[in-house]
Amino acid sequence: MGLVVQKYGGSSVADAEGIKRVAKRIVEAKKNGHQVVVVVSAMGDTTDELIDLAEQVSPMPAGREFDMLLTAGERISMALLAMAIKNLGHAAQSFTGSQAGVITDAVHGKARIIDVTPGRIKQSVDSGNIAIVAGFQGVSQDSKDITTLGRGGSDTTAVALAAALNAEVCEIYTDVDGVFTADPRVVKKARKIDWISFEDMLELASSGSKVLLHRCVEYARRYNIPIHVRSSFSGLQGTWVSNEPQGDQPMEQAIISGVAHDTSEAKVTVVGVPDKPGEAATIFRAIADAEINIDMVVQNVSAASTGLTDISFTLPKTEGRKAVEALERTKPRVGFDSLRYDDQIAKISLVGAGMKTNPGVTATFFEALSNAGVNIELISTSEIRISVVTRADDVNEAVRAVHSAFGLDSENDEAVVYGGTGR
Amino acid sequence: MGLVVQKYGGSSVADAEGIKRVAKRIVEAKKNGHQVVVVVSAMGDTTDELIDLAEQVSPMPAGREFDMLLTAGERISMALLAMAIKNLGHAAQSFTGSQAGVITDAVHGKARIIDVTPGRIKQSVDSGNIAIVAGFQGVSQDSKDITTLGRGGSDTTAVALAAALNAEVCEIYTDVDGVFTADPRVVKKARKIDWISFEDMLELASSGSKVLLHRCVEYARRYNIPIHVRSSFSGLQGTWVSNEPQGDQPMEQAIISGVAHDTSEAKVTVVGVPDKPGEAATIFRAIADAEINIDMVVQNVSAASTGLTDISFTLPKTEGRKAVEALERTKPRVGFDSLRYDDQIAKISLVGAGMKTNPGVTATFFEALSNAGVNIELISTSEIRISVVTRADDVNEAVRAVHSAFGLDSENDEAVVYGGTGR
């Protein structure tokens, strides 16, 4: 039996009871003969409470100090978790990100991991301890300041440690049973996925699935660390994310992995762009200089009569104002007619390997939407994904229609998905 | 202008308002041309809340993890304080005990400082920052684990940093105006002491005065760091503790510094001890082996008729049961008659330099108690202190009588002492 990295999110350790429940589960893994390294997030609302305190003393808290503040949250949960494990009669030691050797750059609030030097963790588990590591945090390489990794940081910590420690698996414990073929709150017949490839999971993550973040999956793929996403409230097998189906997992790989949707984006259309070389470049350079990540980009065929075209793209709603302002400033140079901003859109994506080699997929997708009376505004495709933009109001119906059309519906009337404390 | 170390306790930074108020005071010192290093405790009730959480997950939390947990408290307050200072337009950086170079032994919960290597703090203040350091915590020399310094740890951190940084003064901010000639809650006419020697302060601290702990004063004396104890709620001068009166402080040094009292002790009397060599040694070896610190020890002259004597000593009430049990086990060897345990006692101490060379002091002390109708049960003296044990019920009257007899009463009817947020 090898080494296992387990990660528990804030909802799993929301209170003393949660911590004790998680401690029991960790001890089980140890009893089964594994070396166990645990990555833990801050308890439930701790981070929000700390942010609230920061806002009370300063409207614009500095990054270095803000990171120092927030990392207190994991310090509390990890120490309590180690105590709870010891109380069950097993040796445990807790480590800060810095002590665990999580070395980052110095970009406070969203630092990137540069290196992981897990010497102390290795030594701790080799001496028989369960090692508890603070998620979401590291130490900057040059200035030795405490940093935080930003959204999904604890998952990334777990995968990075799993890679550095050559773990068998990185188990991500959460409050759902795994990755589903669609959001079960929207599609009652959504099914838990037993296994999914890194590539498909990356597409789902970037298409709106929130169970795993793109960054964490990307890291796992690069180091080929299998991820097992599962509920901390049940003993069920969850979803394996890996290069190849794991162990007992069924080998039958569906072409279609699932349907994701995303209502967090807005659409910007630049109307009446002169159809000549360099205009699009000017537009997207302006967006890039404003440090805005865009998602889909579509350019219509220009009307022969006018020599003008329209360029549309999607981006996070939160960046909408900044993008519009940046584009307004390019207007004198580009000479477009007008800007349209629309934040009442939804993106629906179908993800699955082998899509390109299966010509019927696109047709079935569009027919399903059409039959449901859903209008398509933009289309974009990749090797393993088709995405469309529709009205936000249509999103639930559209997802259900597509899910059903591709035979993803479970035979049960209703998927049992969200674990509760009673399970 | 040199470097100043300021220490703020938990009551001074109990909430966001307190943090902002303290930030203003720190910035004042910086504007006055000082380099400023600030040591801060955890906010108000944070430590108690963390202890409560620990008790919920484990009845006997391990020292290493308990220290990891508790140190989250200072991490929060120091980060918030740095933010609040930056919000006032001044550069500030916060540092954990480990980052500040507070190196300790590995005795979790009451670690001792072995060394202070304040390179990062020095660099930070030399670049113009105000450095905020977490009090009460350090890092163990060998295992690199996070440690806490135990009671009064933040004051000790402040003095230790002041020594390592060669500071002009260590300012200890608290919720009272300084050190008083007696506890102002007992003696309304108690006066604030403007200056007191290290030696007298040490005696006051070990005699029940709670403003400064013995450990912190001892450290300051060893490195000759002047301490200025003052209120964080007022702008008043407080009490200077140093080898020699400081700056504008009045040079007239009263022989008597003050009257301290302590009701936290109990008295054990071993009755009927054979008056022969080795018996006392056996008794106190038993107490020492139980790791109990005793305070006063008195042995009566033995009665010629029986060859038996009584030995009395005082110790913290919290150690009472352990001491009695340890002594019971020695009974077969020592052959004493019985044990008496009495926790309804008080210790009253008069502290002042030159007491030995001033024969009237002891007489005046005893006369004052006698006139107040207070019976003396034990007496013990040092070079600069006389202590007596009385009934606990008599303590307030005894302290007032002694305070008055030595002319310590203020001319004001009532001392204004305890600062409130409005001051």
Side-chain angles (χ1 to χ4, degrees), chain B residues 177-235:
Chain B
D177 281 344
V179 181
F180 280 71
T181 51
D183 184 338
R185 284 168 301 190
V186 171
V187 181
K188 295 221 181 299
K189 293 191 166 188
R191 284 185 304 176
K192 189 186 73 188
I193 300 171
D194 291 324
W195 172 80
I196 185 171
S197 68
F198 286 127
E199 289 71 21
D200 282 16
M201 192 64 232
L202 281 174
E203 289 284 5
L204 281 182
S206 56
S207 301
S209 169
K210 297 191 176 54
V211 184
L212 287 179
L213 287 185
H214 190 278
R215 175 184 188 185
C216 145
V217 182
E218 181 62 53
Y219 206 114
R221 182 176 67 148
R222 189 176 319 142
Y223 292 95
N224 194 19
I225 299 296
I227 296 178
H228 186 187
V229 185
R230 56 196 305 195
S231 168
S232 72
F233 296 92
S234 79

Side-chain angles (χ1 to χ4, degrees), chain B residues 74-205:
Chain B
E74 287 80 33
R75 201 176 185 92
I76 293 170
S77 56
M78 76 191 201
L80 290 171
L81 188 52
M83 289 177 195
I85 291 170
K86 289 197 174 189
N87 198 40
L88 298 174
H90 288 259
Q93 287 188 315
S94 65
F95 297 92
T96 64
S98 168
Q99 290 176 336
V102 179
I103 317 291
T104 72
D105 62 22
V107 183
H108 288 289
K110 47 178 182 177
R112 299 188 67 86
I113 295 175
I114 295 174
D115 195 10
V116 180
T117 54
R120 287 186 71 176
I121 304 297
K122 188 88 179 58
Q123 197 174 13
S124 181
V125 294
D126 283 349
S127 339
N129 290 298
I130 295 167
I132 315 291
V133 179
F136 177 67
Q137 57 178 257
V139 61
S140 65
Q141 190 163 40
D142 301 326
S143 59
K144 307 292 179 217
D145 286 326
I146 305 302
T147 55
T148 63
L149 307 179
R151 260 189 86 209
S154 290
D155 287 4
T156 307
T157 303
V159 171
L161 273 172
L165 291 163
N166 202 13
E168 273 181 8
V169 58
C170 178
E171 295 184 335
I172 307 274
Y173 285 90
T174 177
D175 53 3
V176 295
D177 281 344
V179 181
F180 280 71
T181 51
D183 184 338
R185 284 168 301 190
V186 171
V187 181
K188 295 221 181 299
K189 293 191 166 188
R191 284 185 304 176
K192 189 186 73 188
I193 300 171
D194 291 324
W195 172 80
I196 185 171
S197 68
F198 286 127
E199 289 71 21
D200 282 16
M201 192 64 232
L202 281 174
E203 289 284 5
L204 281 182

Side-chain angles (χ1 to χ4, degrees), chain B residues 325-342:
Chain B
E325 287 170 358
L327 290 173
E328 289 290 0
R329 285 193 295 273
T330 69
K331 194 171 179 185
R333 270 181 295 155
V334 178
F336 57 80
D337 284 347
S338 62
L339 286 177
R340 277 193 226 137
Y341 180 74
D342 178 1

Side-chain angles (χ1 to χ4, degrees), chain A residues 126-409:
Chain A
D126 283 349
S127 340
N129 291 298
I130 295 167
I132 315 290
V133 179
F136 177 67
Q137 57 178 257
V139 63
S140 65
Q141 190 163 41
D142 300 326
S143 59
K144 307 293 178 215
D145 286 327
I146 304 302
T147 55
T148 63
L149 307 179
R151 260 190 88 210
S154 290
D155 288 4
T156 307
T157 303
V159 171
L161 274 172
L165 291 163
N166 203 14
E168 272 181 8
V169 58
C170 178
E171 296 183 335
I172 308 274
Y173 285 89
T174 177
D175 52 4
V176 295
D177 282 344
V179 181
F180 279 71
T181 51
D183 184 337
R185 284 167 301 190
V186 172
V187 181
K188 294 218 180 304
K189 294 191 167 188
R191 284 185 304 176
K192 189 186 73 188
I193 300 171
D194 292 323
W195 172 80
I196 186 171
S197 68
F198 286 128
E199 288 71 21
D200 282 16
M201 192 64 232
L202 281 173
E203 289 285 4
L204 280 182
S206 55
S207 302
S209 169
K210 296 190 175 56
V211 185
L212 287 179
L213 287 185
H214 190 278
R215 175 184 188 185
C216 146
V217 182
E218 182 62 53
Y219 206 113
R221 182 176 67 147
R222 189 176 317 142
Y223 293 95
N224 193 20
I225 299 296
I227 297 178
H228 186 186
V229 186
R230 57 196 305 194
S231 168
S232 72
F233 296 92
S234 79
L236 300 176
Q237 283 281 311
T239 300
W240 285 83
V241 188
S242 64
N243 269 332
E244 289 170 23
Q246 295 286 309
D248 311 340
Q249 300 309 315
M251 288 294 293
E252 38 169 344
Q253 182 197 339
I255 291 179
I256 304 299
S257 285
V259 185
H261 70 276
D262 189 351
T263 54
S264 71
E265 295 195 342
K267 181 176 70 169
V268 174
T269 305
V270 190
V271 180
V273 180
D275 191 4
K276 58 184 184 189
E279 298 299 330
T282 306
I283 286 170
F284 290 107
R285 171 56 57 201
I287 296 294
D289 287 349
E291 298 203 351
I292 296 166
N293 281 321
I294 59 173
D295 181 19
M296 297 167 72
V297 181
V298 176
Q299 176 173 344
N300 293 344
V301 175
S302 66
S305 58
T306 60
L308 297 177
T309 186
D310 299 342
I311 296 178
S312 295
F313 60 92
T314 63
L315 77 179
K317 279 179 190 170
T318 49
E319 306 281 17
R321 172 190 290 264
K322 210 162 56 164
V324 169
E325 286 170 359
L327 289 173
E328 288 290 1
R329 285 194 296 272
T330 69
K331 194 170 178 184
R333 269 181 296 156
V334 177
F336 57 79
D337 285 347
S338 62
L339 286 177
R340 276 191 225 137
Y341 179 74
D342 178 1
D343 62 4
Q344 294 303 308
I345 62 161
K347 184 174 71 166
I348 293 131
S349 304
L350 183 71
V351 172
M355 200 173 276
K356 273 275 168 76
T357 59
N358 213 319
V361 170
T362 309
T364 306
F365 185 57
F366 291 167
E367 279 162 16
L369 292 172
S370 164
N371 292 340
V374 174
N375 191 44
I376 299 171
E377 302 187 6
L378 294 178
I379 301 172
S380 129
T381 59
S382 82
E383 197 68 31
I384 56 173
R385 178 182 50 79
I386 311 174
S387 299
V388 297
V389 166
T390 69
R391 288 292 86 201
D393 287 346
D394 290 334
V395 63
N396 289 357
E397 203 164 348
V399 171
R400 279 185 221 117
V402 173
H403 194 267
S404 189
F406 282 93
L408 296 172
D409 287 358

Side-chain angles (χ1 to χ4, degrees), chain A residues 63-64 67 103-114 139-148:
Chain A
R64 180 185 185 280
D67 280 357
I103 316 291
T104 73
D105 62 21
V107 183
H108 288 289
K110 48 178 182 177
R112 299 189 68 87
I113 295 176
I114 295 174
V139 63
S140 65
Q141 190 163 41
D142 300 326
S143 59
K144 307 293 178 215
D145 286 327
I146 304 302
T147 55
T148 63

